[in-house]
Amino acid sequence: MAPTLTAFKDDLSPNLDVIQDYAKFLADSKIMGVLVNGTSGEGMSMNVEERKRVTEEWVKAVKKTNQHLMVQIGGAPLPDVLELAKHAESVGVDSLLCLPDLYNKPNTSLDLIRYLKTVGTAAPNTPLLYYHIPSYTHVHIHMGQFLNDSVGKIPTFHGIKFTSTALDEGVAAVKANGGKYAVFLGADQLMAGAYTLGFDSAIATTLNMFPQLGITILEAVKQSKLDKAKETQDILTEVCAIVTKNGPWVPTMKVAMDLYTPIKVGKAREPLINITAEHINEMKVALKTVGINN
Amino acid sequence: MAPTLTAFKDDLSPNLDVIQDYAKFLADSKIMGVLVNGTSGEGMSMNVEERKRVTEEWVKAVKKTNQHLMVQIGGAPLPDVLELAKHAESVGVDSLLCLPDLYNKPNTSLDLIRYLKTVGTAAPNTPLLYYHIPSYTHVHIHMGQFLNDSVGKIPTFHGIKFTSTALDEGVAAVKANGGKYAVFLGADQLMAGAYTLGFDSAIATTLNMFPQLGITILEAVKQSKLDKAKETQDILTEVCAIVTKNGPWVPTMKVAMDLYTPIKVGKAREPLINITAEHINEMKVALKTVGINN
Amino acid sequence: MAPTLTAFKDDLSPNLDVIQDYAKFLADSKIMGVLVNGTSGEGMSMNVEERKRVTEEWVKAVKKTNQHLMVQIGGAPLPDVLELAKHAESVGVDSLLCLPDLYNKPNTSLDLIRYLKTVGTAAPNTPLLYYHIPSYTHVHIHMGQFLNDSVGKIPTFHGIKFTSTALDEGVAAVKANGGKYAVFLGADQLMAGAYTLGFDSAIATTLNMFPQLGITILEAVKQSKLDKAKETQDILTEVCAIVTKNGPWVPTMKVAMDLYTPIKVGKAREPLINITAEHINEMKVALKTVGINN
Amino acid sequence: MAPTLTAFKDDLSPNLDVIQDYAKFLADSKIMGVLVNGTSGEGMSMNVEERKRVTEEWVKAVKKTNQHLMVQIGGAPLPDVLELAKHAESVGVDSLLCLPDLYNKPNTSLDLIRYLKTVGTAAPNTPLLYYHIPSYTHVHIHMGQFLNDSVGKIPTFHGIKFTSTALDEGVAAVKANGGKYAVFLGADQLMAGAYTLGFDSAIATTLNMFPQLGITILEAVKQSKLDKAKETQDILTEVCAIVTKNGPWVPTMKVAMDLYTPIKVGKAREPLINITAEHINEMKVALKTVGINN
């Protein structure tokens, strides 16, 4: 599943026009699920109205491509989160992903269950997933423990996105509740290892611009072709290192998207910092050395 | 300066009707400054529209009381923060307080300066202060360093609210830039010590319901009556311990407000958890032992 | 490689008598390397004299078994570390592992390089490895960065033990300096994943009492038998969860050693807390459910 | 009380010869208590034998000066800590200060109580204090809570050294157990504030080389001369900033000791880094601007 980037115009307003092509581009690359308004989608840098419009455009787009549409509705004040949840359900998204409250953070599984239950009541017919990304949220509730604690407590609860490199905790999450929850890996550099340990899916930014690498890794592991998995993972890890060498994750990945795909997503919004033309050129030159040409 | 609590009705919608009385109650207690939509005001649990309406009502109220009105406009996605800044200036607030971005957090003084500069451009004629509260934001930029770095970089920049118990850092902030920035202490339990070290003002929640204690401490330190300062601080610290014994800061302080003042602020919004009737009673009984009666 | 447990008598003095049998037991299980006086060996709970005697006994033992002998000499005041380094070289150990200074901790790669260089001068003919275990040391220097920075700076430097679950950092360490450093994984639960990502060796406590599991995982990954690797890892992870359910890692692992091998290692020293007879019984019952019988 | 610096010769072996003069110098400055082998004394960079010899020499010295002698015996493997405790009692020190175990750290009040109880049994007739210094130990047990939990649990327990700037926690420690425990502040820059909040004593490094400043602050607060207290604290805080500007606390304080007192303490041991001659000169020039001349 690809965590889509939100395209912005030169004035940094959302460019909705690219979404149909974007959906088709991913579908053509065999990416049959998309996550919208997540970290890569700069959801936390948009207001409610903008997030709704982006969501609506993706709803239209996936009608043609039959992709699964997950929308991230958290990371905003709770009244806005509830409004976004209700809206997302009303326009027919397939699933919801939700960050914890960013200010009055949950300290315990119980706090988090209560919050997700409240969010779930605003979209009672749509599967809900929790977005675990402690490097951004500083919420360190253990996902194995939380998933076991949550069983039967949140009617629409379906699983998590696990964006962390602590794979022991990730494996505990995969195994929690008898393995019945969905646990999406959010760590491009660890796919091969995580699949070997029991993960079976990822939401990884590089699936946007280098989908073949991530797909190959999953296929290779499934077919027990470990050399192929490792070799492809090595390339993907190197690609990530090169792309993000001179700036934060999202702005640099947006540059890679513009360079290596027909979909133009433009610059990232503040407070993120975009990289210089010189660094963009450096990225291109370095990616050539690992066989990636634009 | 009192960080006001936002009154909610039984349906948890903002109760704007109490604001005029609230302002007068504080003015009658010699509290001549108010902070609106901060942590105590649950600003991060309201949407943009609600924050605007609360702000507008306080603008009306302070016209009669001549209190200084500071409004916290941060802790939301940046487009909303800019909208709130612009609105606050347009309705005539006296100063702005602003949290850092809660998701794409600043790592360096430079990041924070850039963010505040952007916020400042949306309200170019209103003094802007930064809200340092690392226990909520996990932003640990050193305030002494930051204030020195910020000199001359943000046209409207005026100072900070320092909500931390690391008083060495607080003193460094007070002394930064030759002592020219405003540095408001946000730690009820440390007032006497902080005033002795160079602070000269606080934004402390207990100024809402027990204003006499905080005022007495400041007066006593100013008059070099250290025994009086220490003794009063001891009572205030004990009061804080009793009030917050069975729940989080804001919901328990709201209970104290309802019990000990004529202003009724009601319950706190989710994700905060309100305390039980039993715990409310326990609070009353314990506060009697330190001479506080309702 | 097995990080050996230090056997204590009932009076908690080191029981040197078991060491010859211990070495042979591991060698019979195809474990051809041992680490002595590490975390599992309670090196940081022994004085210099005790650590020397344990080392000497292992030197004797491995002469018969031909195992590689690595000795952990850090985690003590620097004069003691230097004395232990010198002693270890003088008695002929094969390699040294060294924690950072536990009090005046390194903040940067440079600090750490300086420390290891000093340690290395006390044993100039013995390969030296750094022991990265941030959950104990709170030293969070990035191992990929550090290894690249260290190239050519420490004459005897040979690699690290990577006891962390942050596998992205681990992979960066494996690839650092063109992959020329030894990087031993110290995370029993992640072996299958780490081997898939490029690790090729581990120092894992469970190799002491359940050597077959760890060996099978490594063999299976080498032979690209992913189902076998995953299935065995699942059992090992479950075994770790059961063993450590009611107490800290070392005392519970010592119990498992006593229960499932002929080598009796006795209780752990303070400040570690040993588990109760009731919990020992619970462990036995639970391990039976995953096919492990004593 | 002064936390003494350990003098080292050019070969970095302890220089015991200065201790008698050192004790007299402090006594002449009205410093009637000394702490030996603490952080400033580089206790964690010495072996057991060295710590014993330094202790013995101080025992001799204080016999003439009648100073209270507190010795820090922790920060080493537990067998060494017990040996140091026993030794200190046998040579007649007045009190013991003890760090937590630096490797197998306590997680709870209970863990810490158990550890201190064990240490106390090795010196059953000497008052024992706990050394709280979380910036070095990463042990964050709340001292107010811990002191209340410890009541009646450790026969020789007497109080703590509180080396932290979180004064709210410090005040809670001062008030714990009805105020019956000794709580020494370990923060030169916060003395005036801490005394106002209820502290009544400090163990502050600058009492070694600038004793008049610290003494004046305490006297001024006792006499309710707040302007004097604040003004002197401002100077002391500035002095600390200047001294430590170009290096870590201990090596820079040793330089100040050598420059401004007749006691020569020499360089700091590894892993601490000593500052350059150029930086020493810079320190001298800057201290002149605040009226300190050598």
Side-chain angles (χ1 to χ4, degrees):
Chain A
M1 193 179 265
T4 58
L5 303 156
T6 298
F8 292 122
K9 300 179 189 167
D10 287 351
D11 67 356
L12 292 172
S13 65
N15 182 357
L16 306 177
D17 296 343
V18 308
I19 292 176
Q20 305 263 354
D21 289 344
Y22 197 162
K24 187 168 183 316
F25 166 74
L26 292 175
D28 288 348
S29 307
K30 313 283 180 219
I31 305 293
M32 293 313 292
V34 291
L35 165 64
V36 166
N37 294 339
T39 302
S40 293
E42 295 174 74
M44 280 56 71
S45 298
M46 291 194 277
N47 67 23
V48 169
E49 208 44 44
E50 292 170 327
R51 289 170 76 164
K52 284 183 183 175
R53 277 188 284 135
V54 170
T55 300
E56 289 164 11
E57 201 64 25
W58 275 100
V59 169
K60 280 187 225 162
V62 300
K63 277 196 181 132
K64 295 184 192 159
T65 58
N66 283 317
Q67 285 157 313
H68 178 101
L69 174 59
M70 182 188 290
V71 175
Q72 204 281 120
I73 46 133
L78 183 52
D80 291 342
V81 174
L82 298 179
E83 187 178 338
L84 286 168
K86 186 176 275 186
H87 170 266
E89 178 162 304
S90 76
V91 297
V93 310
D94 296 303
S95 59
L96 299 174
L97 182 66
C98 190
L99 284 165
D101 194 274
L102 299 180
Y103 199 68
N104 290 298
K105 299 181 204 294
N107 292 312
T108 64
S109 277
L110 212 66
D111 290 343
L112 186 50
I113 288 168
R114 191 183 299 109
Y115 184 79
L116 293 172
K117 201 173 164 185
T118 297
V119 172
T121 56
N125 302 305
T126 311
L128 175 66
L129 296 99
Y130 171 63
Y131 189 1
H132 178 67
I133 181 167
S135 60
Y136 280 78
T137 62
H138 290 260
V139 171
H140 293 282
I141 296 168
H142 189 278
M143 285 298 104
Q145 187 64 50
F146 163 66
L147 286 181
N148 279 322
D149 290 348
S150 72
V151 176
K153 304 277 175 56
I154 310 163
T156 54
F157 194 56
H158 196 72
I160 62 172
K161 177 169 188 228
F162 184 81
T163 303
S164 160
T165 60
L167 281 192
D168 58 331
E169 183 185 347
V171 171
V174 167
K175 292 188 198 300
N177 189 24
K180 284 183 214 138
Y181 282 127
V183 178
F184 291 93
L185 177 74
D188 302 67
Q189 300 97 327
L190 298 180
M191 285 197 246
Y195 294 148
T196 309
L197 290 164
F199 277 84
D200 61 7
S201 49
I203 301 180
T205 312
T206 53
L207 290 173
N208 284 291
M209 59 293 284
F210 312 113
Q212 205 47 49
L213 293 172
I215 290 171
T216 301
I217 294 169
L218 182 54
E219 289 306 308
V221 174
K222 274 190 188 161
Q223 297 164 19
S224 221
K225 292 180 181 169
L226 254 173
D227 287 348
K228 184 73 183 168
K230 187 172 169 322
E231 172 194 309
T232 314
Q233 179 69 69
D234 278 356
I235 296 169
L236 180 55
T237 298
E238 182 64 16
V239 163
C240 288
I242 292 170
V243 169
T244 62
K245 191 185 167 195
N246 291 303
W249 185 266
V250 175
T252 54
M253 285 290 167
K254 289 188 102 166
V255 166
M257 190 76 187
D258 279 10
L259 288 174
Y260 299 98
T261 79
I263 309 302
K264 302 306 166 197
V265 292
K267 296 205 167 169
R269 278 191 175 181
E270 276 193 271
L272 295 172
I273 301 174
N274 291 288
I275 60 173
T276 61
E278 193 184 339
H279 283 149
I280 292 173
N281 205 51
E282 198 183 298
M283 186 196 296
K284 275 199 286 191
V285 171
L287 285 175
K288 260 184 202 161
T289 67
V290 290
I292 290 181
N293 297 284
N294 66 332
Chain B
M1 193 178 264
T4 59
L5 303 155
T6 298
F8 292 122
K9 299 180 190 167
D10 287 351
D11 67 356
L12 292 173
S13 65
N15 181 357
L16 306 176
D17 297 341
V18 308
I19 291 176
Q20 306 263 352
D21 289 345
Y22 197 162
K24 187 167 181 315
F25 166 75
L26 291 175
D28 289 348
S29 308
K30 314 283 181 219
I31 305 293
M32 294 312 293
V34 292
L35 165 63
V36 166
N37 293 339
T39 303
S40 294
E42 295 174 75
M44 280 56 71
S45 299
M46 292 193 278
N47 66 23
V48 168
E49 208 43 44
E50 292 170 327
R51 289 171 76 164
K52 284 183 181 174
R53 277 189 283 135
V54 170
T55 299
E56 289 163 12
E57 202 63 25
W58 275 100
V59 169
K60 281 187 224 162
V62 300
K63 277 195 181 132
K64 296 185 190 158
T65 58
N66 283 316
Q67 286 158 314
H68 178 101
L69 175 58
M70 182 188 289
V71 175
Q72 205 282 120
I73 45 134
L78 183 52
D80 291 342
V81 174
L82 298 179
E83 187 178 338
L84 286 168
K86 187 176 272 185
H87 170 266
E89 178 162 303
S90 75
V91 297
V93 311
D94 296 303
S95 59
L96 300 174
L97 182 65
C98 189
L99 284 164
D101 195 273
L102 299 179
Y103 199 68
N104 290 300
K105 298 181 204 294
N107 291 313
T108 63
S109 278
L110 212 67
D111 290 343
L112 187 48
I113 288 168
R114 191 182 300 109
Y115 184 79
L116 292 171
K117 201 173 164 185
T118 298
V119 173
T121 57
N125 302 304
T126 310
L128 175 67
L129 295 98
Y130 171 63
Y131 189 2
H132 177 67
I133 181 165
S135 61
Y136 280 78
T137 61
H138 290 260
V139 172
H140 292 282
I141 295 168
H142 189 277
M143 285 297 104
Q145 188 64 50
F146 163 66
L147 287 180
N148 279 323
D149 290 347
S150 72
V151 176
K153 303 276 176 57
I154 312 163
T156 54
F157 194 55
H158 196 74
I160 62 171
K161 177 169 189 231
F162 184 82
T163 302
S164 160
T165 61
L167 281 191
D168 57 330
E169 183 186 348
V171 171
V174 167
K175 292 188 199 298
N177 189 24
K180 283 184 214 140
Y181 282 128
V183 178
F184 292 92
L185 178 74
D188 301 69
Q189 300 97 326
L190 297 180
M191 284 197 245
Y195 294 148
T196 309
L197 289 164
F199 277 84
D200 61 8
S201 50
I203 300 179
T205 312
T206 55
L207 291 172
N208 283 291
M209 59 294 284
F210 311 112
Q212 205 47 49
L213 293 171
I215 290 170
T216 300
I217 294 168
L218 182 53
E219 289 305 310
V221 173
K222 275 189 186 160
Q223 297 164 18
S224 222
K225 292 181 180 167
L226 255 175
D227 287 349
K228 184 72 183 168
K230 187 175 169 319
E231 174 193 307
T232 313
Q233 178 69 70
D234 277 356
I235 295 170
L236 179 55
T237 299
E238 182 65 16
V239 164
C240 288
I242 293 170
V243 169
T244 62
K245 191 185 165 194
N246 291 303
W249 185 264
V250 175
T252 56
M253 286 288 167
K254 290 188 102 167
V255 166
M257 190 76 186
D258 279 9
L259 287 175
Y260 299 99
T261 79
I263 310 303
K264 302 307 166 197
V265 293
K267 298 206 165 167
R269 278 192 175 179
E270 276 194 272
L272 295 173
I273 300 175
N274 292 286
I275 62 172
T276 62
E278 193 183 338
H279 282 149
I280 293 172
N281 205 51
E282 198 182 300
M283 186 196 296
K284 276 199 287 191
V285 172
L287 284 175
K288 261 185 201 159
T289 67
V290 290
I292 290 180
N293 296 285
N294 67 333
Chain C
M1 192 179 266
T4 58
L5 302 156
T6 298
F8 292 122
K9 299 180 189 167
D10 287 350
D11 68 356
L12 293 172
S13 65
N15 183 358
L16 306 177
D17 296 344
V18 308
I19 290 174
Q20 306 261 353
D21 290 344
Y22 197 162
K24 187 170 181 313
F25 166 75
L26 291 175
D28 289 347
S29 307
K30 316 282 181 220
I31 305 291
M32 293 314 291
V34 292
L35 164 64
V36 166
N37 293 339
T39 302
S40 294
E42 296 175 74
M44 279 56 71
S45 299
M46 291 193 277
N47 66 23
V48 168
E49 210 42 46
E50 293 170 327
R51 290 170 75 163
K52 284 182 182 175
R53 277 189 283 135
V54 170
T55 300
E56 289 163 12
E57 202 63 26
W58 275 100
V59 168
K60 281 187 226 163
V62 300
K63 276 192 183 134
K64 297 184 191 158
T65 58
N66 284 317
Q67 285 158 314
H68 179 102
L69 174 58
M70 182 188 291
V71 175
Q72 203 284 119
I73 46 131
L78 183 53
D80 291 343
V81 175
L82 298 179
E83 187 178 338
L84 287 168
K86 187 175 273 185
H87 170 267
E89 178 162 304
S90 75
V91 298
V93 310
D94 296 303
S95 58
L96 300 173
L97 181 66
C98 190
L99 283 164
D101 195 273
L102 299 181
Y103 198 68
N104 290 299
K105 299 181 204 293
N107 292 312
T108 63
S109 277
L110 212 67
D111 290 343
L112 187 50
I113 288 168
R114 191 182 299 109
Y115 185 80
L116 292 171
K117 201 173 165 185
T118 298
V119 173
T121 58
N125 302 305
T126 311
L128 175 66
L129 295 98
Y130 171 63
Y131 189 0
H132 177 68
I133 181 167
S135 62
Y136 280 78
T137 61
H138 291 260
V139 172
H140 292 282
I141 295 168
H142 189 276
M143 285 298 104
Q145 186 66 49
F146 163 66
L147 287 180
N148 279 322
D149 289 347
S150 72
V151 176
K153 304 276 175 57
I154 311 164
T156 54
F157 194 56
H158 196 72
I160 62 171
K161 175 167 189 232
F162 184 82
T163 302
S164 160
T165 59
L167 281 192
D168 57 331
E169 183 185 348
V171 170
V174 167
K175 292 187 199 297
N177 188 23
K180 284 182 213 139
Y181 281 128
V183 179
F184 291 92
L185 178 73
D188 301 68
Q189 300 96 328
L190 298 180
M191 284 196 248
Y195 295 147
T196 309
L197 289 163
F199 277 84
D200 61 7
S201 50
I203 300 180
T205 312
T206 54
L207 290 173
N208 283 290
M209 59 292 286
F210 311 113
Q212 206 46 52
L213 293 172
I215 291 170
T216 302
I217 294 168
L218 181 54
E219 289 306 309
V221 173
K222 274 188 187 161
Q223 297 164 18
S224 223
K225 293 181 180 167
L226 251 174
D227 287 348
K228 185 72 183 167
K230 188 173 169 320
E231 173 194 309
T232 315
Q233 179 68 70
D234 278 355
I235 295 169
L236 180 55
T237 298
E238 182 64 16
V239 163
C240 288
I242 291 171
V243 170
T244 63
K245 189 185 166 195
N246 291 303
W249 185 265
V250 175
T252 55
M253 286 289 168
K254 289 188 103 166
V255 167
M257 190 76 186
D258 279 10
L259 287 176
Y260 299 99
T261 79
I263 310 302
K264 302 305 166 195
V265 292
K267 296 204 168 170
R269 280 191 173 180
E270 275 193 272
L272 293 173
I273 300 173
N274 290 287
I275 61 172
T276 61
E278 192 183 340
H279 282 149
I280 293 172
N281 206 51
E282 197 181 300
M283 187 196 297
K284 275 199 287 192
V285 172
L287 284 175
K288 259 184 204 160
T289 66
V290 290
I292 290 180
N293 298 285
N294 67 334
Chain D
M1 192 178 263
T4 59
L5 303 155
T6 298
F8 292 122
K9 298 179 190 167
D10 287 352
D11 67 356
L12 291 173
S13 65
N15 182 358
L16 305 176
D17 296 343
V18 307
I19 291 176
Q20 305 262 353
D21 290 345
Y22 196 162
K24 189 171 179 313
F25 165 74
L26 291 175
D28 289 347
S29 308
K30 314 285 182 217
I31 304 292
M32 294 313 293
V34 292
L35 165 64
V36 166
N37 293 339
T39 304
S40 294
E42 296 175 73
M44 279 57 71
S45 299
M46 291 192 278
N47 67 23
V48 168
E49 210 42 45
E50 293 170 326
R51 289 171 76 163
K52 284 183 181 175
R53 278 189 282 135
V54 170
T55 300
E56 289 163 14
E57 201 64 25
W58 275 99
V59 168
K60 282 187 224 163
V62 299
K63 276 195 181 130
K64 297 184 189 158
T65 58
N66 284 316
Q67 285 158 313
H68 178 102
L69 174 57
M70 182 188 290
V71 175
Q72 203 284 119
I73 47 136
L78 184 52
D80 291 342
V81 175
L82 298 178
E83 187 178 338
L84 287 168
K86 187 176 273 185
H87 170 266
E89 178 161 303
S90 76
V91 298
V93 310
D94 296 302
S95 59
L96 299 174
L97 182 66
C98 190
L99 284 165
D101 195 273
L102 299 180
Y103 199 68
N104 290 299
K105 300 181 204 295
N107 292 312
T108 63
S109 277
L110 212 67
D111 290 343
L112 187 49
I113 288 168
R114 191 182 298 109
Y115 184 80
L116 292 172
K117 201 173 164 184
T118 298
V119 173
T121 57
N125 302 304
T126 311
L128 175 65
L129 295 99
Y130 170 63
Y131 190 0
H132 177 68
I133 181 167
S135 61
Y136 280 77
T137 62
H138 291 262
V139 172
H140 292 283
I141 295 168
H142 188 277
M143 285 297 103
Q145 188 63 50
F146 163 66
L147 286 180
N148 279 323
D149 290 347
S150 72
V151 176
K153 304 276 175 58
I154 311 163
T156 55
F157 194 56
H158 195 72
I160 62 171
K161 176 168 190 232
F162 184 83
T163 301
S164 160
T165 60
L167 281 192
D168 57 331
E169 183 185 348
V171 171
V174 167
K175 293 188 200 297
N177 189 23
K180 284 183 213 140
Y181 281 128
V183 178
F184 292 91
L185 178 72
D188 302 68
Q189 300 96 329
L190 297 180
M191 285 197 245
Y195 294 148
T196 308
L197 289 164
F199 277 83
D200 61 8
S201 49
I203 300 179
T205 312
T206 54
L207 290 173
N208 283 291
M209 57 295 284
F210 312 112
Q212 206 46 51
L213 293 172
I215 290 171
T216 301
I217 294 168
L218 182 53
E219 289 306 308
V221 173
K222 274 189 187 161
Q223 297 164 19
S224 222
K225 292 181 180 167
L226 251 173
D227 287 349
K228 185 72 183 167
K230 188 175 169 318
E231 175 193 307
T232 315
Q233 179 68 72
D234 278 356
I235 295 169
L236 180 55
T237 299
E238 182 65 15
V239 163
C240 289
I242 292 170
V243 169
T244 62
K245 190 184 167 195
N246 292 303
W249 185 265
V250 175
T252 56
M253 286 288 167
K254 289 188 104 166
V255 166
M257 190 76 186
D258 279 10
L259 288 175
Y260 299 98
T261 80
I263 310 303
K264 303 307 165 196
V265 292
K267 296 205 168 170
R269 277 190 175 182
E270 278 194 88
L272 294 173
I273 301 174
N274 291 286
I275 61 172
T276 61
E278 192 184 339
H279 282 149
I280 292 173
N281 205 52
E282 197 182 300
M283 188 195 296
K284 275 199 286 191
V285 172
L287 284 175
K288 260 186 202 158
T289 67
V290 290
I292 290 179
N293 297 285
N294 68 334

